[in-house]
Amino acid sequence: MEAARYARDHHTYGDYLAWPDDVRYELIDGEAYLMAPAPTLEHQEVAGEIFRQLANALADPGQTCRPFIAPVDVRLPRADEADELVDTVVQPDVLVVCDPAKLDRRGVRGAPDLVVEVLSPATASHDHRRKRQVYERAGVPEFWLVHPTDRMVTIYRLEAGRFGKPEICELAGETPVAILPGVAIAWDDLVRRLPPPGP
């Protein structure tokens, strides 16, 4: 299923700030994509558990890396343009930012260190194609696509400015977070709580 476009005009973060609060959009290269309605309970449980584990692992007061869960606006400028002119604004399901200078009251400006998108039928194509390209271009070091139905995670890591060949793992045991030494996501208890995959 394809993400619905708001319009074909070129939009910026300045436009985005003026839109109604009751409908959520993402901007990719100036095109506005209507975000899916409220995610499924399964989606929220997976995203929430990943965030919880990251938050627990990064709870040390001396730790500079901070995890966040959607909705948080992530502005991805192409250069040093003013916020109002940025034409790519996304809301990853879960993200980690290790550079405090990228955080402000509006959210995040610049590439997070880790982005996790939890796939659903309504967003799978959008996340796999458009958002993967956006995260690669922005320089996100590590990008996870979690497939709750297939019980898989696809992991892309930046190599010389491009995402290398993806690593595909089952949602079983633990999956290390490469950019966070000593941090791993444990899957078994989460998977036991999920409904069985459909036919």
Side-chain angles (χ1 to χ4, degrees):
M1 185 173 180
E2 190 64 53
R5 294 183 184 183
Y6 175 75
R8 293 190 176 276
D9 297 332
H10 186 272
H11 302 286
T12 66
Y13 186 58
D15 301 322
Y16 175 97
L17 291 174
W19 293 341
D21 291 336
D22 58 344
V23 183
R24 290 171 57 208
Y25 294 92
E26 290 185 309
L27 286 182
I28 295 181
D29 297 334
E31 291 191 17
Y33 292 89
L34 181 63
M35 297 185 71
T40 64
L41 196 61
E42 178 182 59
H43 177 285
Q44 293 302 84
E45 182 147 31
V46 172
E49 178 63 20
I50 293 170
F51 170 77
R52 184 189 69 78
Q53 292 190 37
L54 289 169
N56 287 345
L58 300 174
D60 186 320
Q63 175 62 253
T64 59
C65 296
R66 294 177 59 188
F68 299 93
I69 191 166
V72 173
D73 285 342
V74 176
R75 290 155 281 150
L76 297 174
R78 292 176 182 270
D80 59 355
E81 68 266 32
D83 271 353
E84 284 65 25
L85 300 179
V86 173
D87 68 1
T88 297
V89 183
V90 292
Q91 293 188 359
D93 290 318
V94 181
L95 60 147
V96 173
V97 178
C98 295
D99 181 356
K102 293 182 178 180
L103 305 176
D104 59 27
R105 295 184 66 184
R106 288 177 163 178
V108 180
R109 179 183 166 107
D113 295 88
L114 171 69
V115 167
V116 179
E117 297 284 8
V118 180
L119 297 183
S120 64
T123 64
S125 173
H126 184 68
D127 290 343
H128 263 295
R129 295 188 304 113
R130 287 191 189 89
K131 291 181 81 173
R132 178 174 56 81
Q133 292 169 357
V134 163
Y135 295 142
E136 180 182 62
R137 182 181 72 200
V140 172
E142 191 164 350
F143 173 41
W144 290 24
L145 286 159
V146 179
H147 312 246
T149 302
D150 298 333
R151 307 293 201 257
M152 306 289 286
V153 56
T154 302
I155 301 173
Y156 291 91
R157 296 187 179 97
L158 211 62
E159 300 172 1
R162 301 293 300 272
F163 282 144
K165 183 178 178 181
E167 177 185 357
I168 301 174
C169 308
E170 288 186 60
L171 300 189
E174 293 188 344
T175 302
V177 182
I179 60 122
L180 300 171
V183 177
I185 301 300
W187 302 111
D188 295 343
D189 286 345
L190 169 62
V191 169
R192 277 194 287 271
R193 297 197 302 268
L194 297 179

